[in-house]
Amino acid sequence: MNILLLGSGGRESALAWKISQSELCDKLFIAPGNGGTGAYGTNVALSPLDFEAVEAFVGANGIDMVVVGNEDPLVAGIYDYFAGKRPGLLVVGPSKAGAQLEGSKDFAKRFMTAHGIPTARFRSFTQETAEEGCRFLEELKPPYVLKADGLAAGKGVLIIDSLDEAKKALREMLGGMFGKSSATVVIEEFLKGIECSVFVLTDGNGGYRVLPVAKDYKRIGEGDTGLNTGGMGAISPVPFADETFMRKVTERIIEPTVKGLAEEGIIYRGFIFLGLINVEGEPMVIEYNVRMGDPETEAVMLRVDSDLVQLMKAAAEGDLGDLPLRHNPATAATVMIVSGGYPGSYPKGKVITGLDKVTDSILFHAGTKKLDDGTVVTSGGRVIAVSSLGKDIADAVGRSFKSVDLVDFEGKYFRRDIGRDLMNLK
Ligand code: AMP
Ligand code: GLY
């Protein structure tokens, strides 16, 4: 079959790498792709948000399945667009209604409440109810968690220690700090624990498969300090997400989520990303995303031993049947190399050297561009996700760090502590 993958990050590189290995895949196109995805298929200069252009490409190239990598097209309704225009086309991803699990935190919280899914106590507020919001903050203990309802490129969550600052932030958010995204603000109880990312592929008819669990490292600095980023690394599996924990996740979170979507008549044939927190052994949902995680995918794909195309096709057709999704028991470690200055401003166009010296890891390109003469240059904050398999965390990260040392560009930065917190945790 011919497949079109939408997106341009490290996640899409890892998906493209995996898809290209499938016997079911004839041609793979990546739109727009990056400086590395050309190794797995053909890059196409298309914006995933330009649905008409995507549809024209689908028609002209005999595309059988569209895999949507990032949330924006899903929240904008790409599933519904194609369901109307091209009913035969397989689309991996939720309908617009399903994408609200990520597109609106208020919707997600209400969904969880309605289906008895464990999550932090919350209330939502708008300009009109700002004073009530301040009173709700007074009822909570610090730190205070304030979330813009809509998509805010991962920046819409504020965690604030002082009550006065939290009230001020609430007013500023409602006043447009994140534009329309913060016209509604969710205030919730702070949960203390360690986070992990659980990925589920569902066929929308009660069938689902759980992918390998991963943990990502969001802060720019070692020891989880400094600003939040899109993700500085990932480890899979996660030692604390053992059988007992995952049984609770399945019973209390995955099954009620899949059932809840069906009960509400929401079409959802794609990946569900559960951002979980382990509160003294009890899993709770911090957030839903409606796509795979980045950089988690760059670790998780190394551990998927089954044909992902076959699984995605079956999910998009609405019946996963008894297809297995096998997990490789080895450990995967991803270390993200970023541009100096990220997540603030950073230069672009820096020549990357040493890519061909790496043999022990897979280099999933993210913010890179390949020039006509073959030179690869930086074009984003997160530049390359370096992923390796090993017998344990120390072995896998050790391999990734050795590979990271071979790759260079001016301003290169990465965290040397990826996985360290998990090495003595069980
Ligand atoms: P979100 O965009 O909802 O994933 O939030 C971003 C980050 O803020 C999460 O990954 C958590 O680290 C943190 N966070 C969000 N909600 C809470 C909460 N209720 N308690 C503690 N930390 C939270
Ligand atoms: N790694 C977190 C995310 O993809 O949102």
Side-chain angles (χ1 to χ4, degrees):
M1 61 197 302
N2 296 333
I3 300 172
L4 173 63
L5 170 65
L6 301 179
S8 62
R11 167 183 48 218
E12 285 72 32
S13 289
L15 288 171
W17 172 80
K18 187 72 186 159
I19 290 170
S20 68
Q21 294 167 28
S22 169
E23 282 182 12
L24 291 178
C25 180
D26 295 317
K27 283 190 195 152
L28 171 64
F29 299 93
I30 307 101
N34 59 41
T37 47
Y40 317 120
T42 307
N43 285 349
V44 189
L46 274 182
S47 160
L49 285 170
D50 185 347
F51 296 172
E52 281 177 22
V54 175
E55 203 234 342
F57 184 85
V58 163
N61 293 276
I63 299 295
D64 303 292
M65 182 160 82
V66 175
V67 180
V68 188
N70 62 320
E71 66 276 16
D72 291 340
L74 293 165
V75 174
I78 195 165
Y79 184 97
D80 309 65
Y81 179 86
F82 277 114
K85 291 248 173 175
R86 289 186 175 268
L89 181 74
L90 297 175
V91 178
V92 182
S95 64
K96 189 171 182 173
Q100 286 299 294
L101 281 183
E102 177 165 0
S104 166
K105 298 211 185 269
D106 180 51
F107 174 87
K109 296 295 286 192
R110 287 175 201 278
F111 178 87
M112 288 186 263
T113 307
H115 300 285
I117 296 164
T119 189
R121 191 159 76 91
F122 83 105
R123 279 183 62 193
S124 302
F125 301 94
T126 59
Q127 276 283 18
E128 290 71 48
T129 55
E131 287 314 308
E132 276 176 58
C134 290
R135 284 198 293 279
F136 183 60
L137 283 168
E138 287 167 7
E139 283 175 28
L140 298 174
K141 284 197 228 83
Y144 304 94
V145 182
L146 285 81
K147 301 184 171 186
D149 175 55
L151 294 183
K155 299 191 173 72
V157 176
L158 303 182
I159 299 182
I160 299 173
D161 287 321
S162 123
L163 180 60
D164 285 343
E165 291 291 319
K167 288 181 179 175
K168 190 162 150 248
L170 173 64
R171 292 201 183 91
E172 285 172 6
M173 287 175 87
L174 293 172
M177 187 196 282
F178 299 103
K180 268 197 254 159
S181 290
S182 61
T184 298
V185 171
V186 171
I187 299 178
E188 66 181 38
E189 185 185 30
F190 180 82
L191 299 175
K192 203 167 158 36
I194 181 159
E195 290 172 63
C196 66
S197 307
V198 171
F199 303 98
V200 177
L201 177 65
T202 178
D203 62 16
N205 286 308
Y208 67 86
R209 296 290 179 276
V210 184
L211 286 96
V213 179
K215 177 177 190 291
D216 89 344
Y217 291 80
K218 290 201 171 111
R219 304 292 197 94
I220 187 71
E222 286 169 15
D224 290 328
T225 53
L227 292 174
N228 252 327
T229 71
M232 296 296 292
I235 297 288
S236 177
V238 178
F240 70 77
D242 56 13
E243 216 175 294
T244 310
F245 184 80
M246 289 309 291
R247 197 175 320 117
K248 293 178 185 171
V249 171
T250 301
E251 285 169 9
R252 301 177 193 173
I253 298 169
I254 298 175
E255 291 189 346
T257 298
V258 169
K259 237 202 230 152
L261 288 166
E263 273 168 26
E264 297 195 19
I266 294 173
I267 298 172
Y268 202 122
R269 295 172 171 182
F271 294 102
I272 309 176
F273 170 160
L274 307 166
L276 303 183
I277 188 159
N278 176 354
V279 183
E280 291 168 5
E282 308 304 322
M284 298 186 73
V285 179
I286 289 276
E287 65 166 349
Y288 284 110
N289 293 308
V290 297
R291 48 165 176 88
M292 291 293 292
D294 196 345
E296 291 96 322
T297 306
E298 292 94 302
V300 166
M301 284 303 133
L302 264 51
R303 298 195 52 236
V304 171
D305 269 352
S306 303
D307 182 340
L308 187 70
V309 172
Q310 194 179 17
L311 285 156
M312 290 192 297
K313 174 174 180 286
E317 285 170 343
D319 185 10
L320 275 164
D322 53 12
L323 279 181
L325 197 165
R326 293 198 184 85
H327 297 190
N328 183 324
T331 294
T334 296
V335 176
M336 189 64 85
I337 309 181
V338 306
S339 297
Y342 174 79
S345 61
Y346 50 83
K348 292 182 186 176
K350 300 293 177 193
V351 173
I352 307 172
T353 58
L355 295 170
D356 52 354
K357 293 192 199 136
V358 174
T359 52
D360 212 17
S361 308
I362 302 177
L363 301 178
F364 291 124
H365 288 229
T368 72
K369 201 164 95 178
K370 197 170 197 168
L371 306 181
D372 289 341
D373 67 1
T375 312
V376 179
V377 298
T378 66
S379 68
R382 290 193 291 174
V383 178
I384 293 182
V386 179
S387 295
S388 318
L389 278 178
K391 65 180 187 330
D392 54 25
I393 296 176
D395 184 33
V397 283
R399 287 169 197 262
S400 285
F401 288 137
K402 271 196 194 137
S403 302
V404 166
D405 285 339
L406 298 172
V407 174
D408 202 19
F409 58 86
E410 194 188 318
K412 163 187 159 187
Y413 172 76
F414 63 99
R415 270 179 66 169
R416 287 190 185 270
D417 66 340
I418 302 302
R420 200 178 289 165
D421 58 332
L422 296 177
M423 286 192 214
N424 33 27
L425 259 184
K426 178 73 183 110

